[in-house]
Amino acid sequence: MLRMSNATPAVIAVLVAELVPAAAFGFAGERVAEALGRLSLAVRVTLPALLVMPYGVIAVSKHIFQWNWFALYAVLPVVMAWLLARAAVADPEQRGNWRDAVILLTLGLAVDLRWFDVAWPAGLRGLNNLLLVDAGLYAFLGVRRLSGTGFDFHLHWSDWKMGLRELLFFAPAVLGLGLALGFIHPHANVPALGKAALTWAGIFVFVAVPEELFFRAWVQNLLERRVGRRAALLIASVLFGLSHFNKRLTASTAHFNWRYVLLATMAGIFYGRAWRERRRVPASAITHTCVDWLWSWWF
């Protein structure tokens, strides 16, 4: 998540600007996609070059502007949109195309290996991830019009039901294994109600939704069309687990945190189950948020 202790008017403005595309697709995705479809191909493909603006504003205000990063943030969203416009033509059945794989691999590695983080000031690198989420939403939902993602912000009772059900199934397994591995260490911590609620909301918006969008709505969704539901769930969960290889490093896990990978893979199975029940990102994001929220306070 973002550390907003060093927030400035420019940072707040950029954060709001980056949340607008996600909100547009989350609340009116079909209408946004239809509006984009009425544009010429050239305009539709070049329009996401505007996503360079968040980097430009932050870089100039923080005196760290570099043309190479400006060029990357201007060109990458355009290349993504162009590739998925081609994929929409080459793969109208949406069974998955090599272009989908290239974009997902690029986005996944860029975030996980923090390729672009050095372009941003410390504490504001989460803005990079939000920018990549916007580029992905535009390309996959606005241009490719990928079906079955279940990405929206209209939370239903069924989302809470599925999300909390998978949390209850997951909790005993992760507690037992985590304690056995010495990876989790319970401690008492009773947060104030307001702080607890804000923390939950922050995890939901800045961590759970982006990760569930990527691993469930895009990766698991496309894999199901090739390898079936069970194999897709397993593969997406393993990939989710592997994305945590460099998280919570200690002196004994300096290069590959296998304990975290194992527990995250298990978590991915339950997140994936929550998503595929009704193909709803909010459902898996609720499970994901609750796990991270409980972890942050008591483990």
Side-chain angles (χ1 to χ4, degrees), residues 215-232:
F215 285 101
R216 256 53 73 176
W218 296 339
V219 174
Q220 187 173 335
N221 183 16
L222 285 167
L223 281 171
E224 281 190 354
R225 304 163 195 226
R226 290 286 183 177
V227 300
R229 280 164 53 94
R230 291 184 179 179

Side-chain angles (χ1 to χ4, degrees), residues 79-88 99-100 103 139-140 143-144:
V79 171
M80 290 171 56
W82 176 74
L83 282 173
L84 289 194
R86 298 299 304 157
R99 299 169 182 87
D100 301 307
I103 290 175
F140 278 105
V143 176
R144 179 75 153 112

Side-chain angles (χ1 to χ4, degrees), residues 16-297:
V16 171
E18 288 191 346
L19 289 174
V20 166
F25 280 105
F27 288 110
E30 195 59 37
R31 281 180 287 172
V32 171
E34 289 174 358
L36 291 173
R38 291 193 287 270
L39 302 175
S40 69
L41 178 62
V43 173
R44 193 159 69 248
V45 167
T46 56
L47 187 61
L50 293 174
L51 290 173
V52 73
M53 294 177 65
Y55 167 75
V57 171
I58 294 296
V60 169
S61 67
K62 299 292 184 179
H63 310 290
I64 58 170
F65 182 88
Q66 294 185 39
W67 281 109
N68 57 329
W69 289 114
F70 186 87
L72 182 142
Y73 284 114
V75 171
L76 180 61
V78 172
V79 171
M80 290 171 56
W82 176 74
L83 282 173
L84 289 194
R86 298 299 304 157
V89 174
D91 177 35
E93 298 86 6
Q94 298 191 348
R95 284 182 47 78
N97 182 270
W98 66 264
R99 299 169 182 87
D100 301 307
V102 166
I103 290 175
L104 290 172
L105 183 64
T106 300
L107 291 176
L109 291 177
V111 172
D112 195 46
L113 300 181
R114 302 162 187 165
W115 284 348
F116 306 156
D117 282 9
V118 294
W120 301 80
L124 297 178
R125 292 168 182 172
L127 293 173
N128 167 68
N129 295 346
L130 284 176
L131 192 156
L132 295 179
V133 166
D134 289 342
L137 284 169
Y138 186 93
F140 278 105
L141 301 189
V143 176
R144 179 75 153 112
R145 300 191 73 170
L146 182 63
S147 64
T149 63
F151 175 76
D152 70 47
F153 291 144
H154 300 286
L155 270 68
H156 305 149
W157 166 242
S158 61
D159 297 328
W160 291 98
K161 180 181 177 181
M162 293 301 106
L164 295 176
R165 183 195 70 180
E166 294 304 316
L167 173 67
L168 292 176
F169 290 162
F170 171 63
V174 73
L175 285 174
L177 183 58
L179 290 170
L181 294 174
F183 185 73
I184 60 176
H185 307 280
H187 54 269
N189 191 358
V190 181
L193 182 60
K195 185 175 183 180
L198 286 174
T199 301
W200 197 97
I203 294 171
F204 182 84
V205 172
F206 295 109
V207 178
V209 168
E211 291 187 4
E212 293 308 301
L213 175 67
F214 182 87
F215 285 101
R216 256 53 73 176
W218 296 339
V219 174
Q220 187 173 335
N221 183 16
L222 285 167
L223 281 171
E224 281 190 354
R225 304 163 195 226
R226 290 286 183 177
V227 300
R229 280 164 53 94
R230 291 184 179 179
L233 174 63
L234 180 60
I235 295 170
S237 299
V238 170
L239 292 173
F240 179 73
L242 289 172
S243 73
H244 292 73
F245 84 96
N246 58 355
K247 307 293 194 303
R248 292 199 174 190
L249 295 178
T250 66
S252 62
T253 58
H255 300 293
F256 188 87
N257 194 338
W258 66 269
R259 293 175 179 83
Y260 206 166
V261 168
L262 178 59
L263 291 173
T265 298
M266 288 182 58
I269 291 173
F270 290 92
Y271 301 164
R273 280 166 47 91
W275 172 80
R276 77 177 186 180
E277 182 75 20
R278 297 197 178 186
R279 307 186 77 82
R280 295 278 298 161
V281 168
S284 59
I286 286 170
T287 310
H288 192 152
T289 302
C290 289
V291 170
D292 285 7
W293 183 84
L294 291 169
W295 195 311
S296 70
W297 292 117

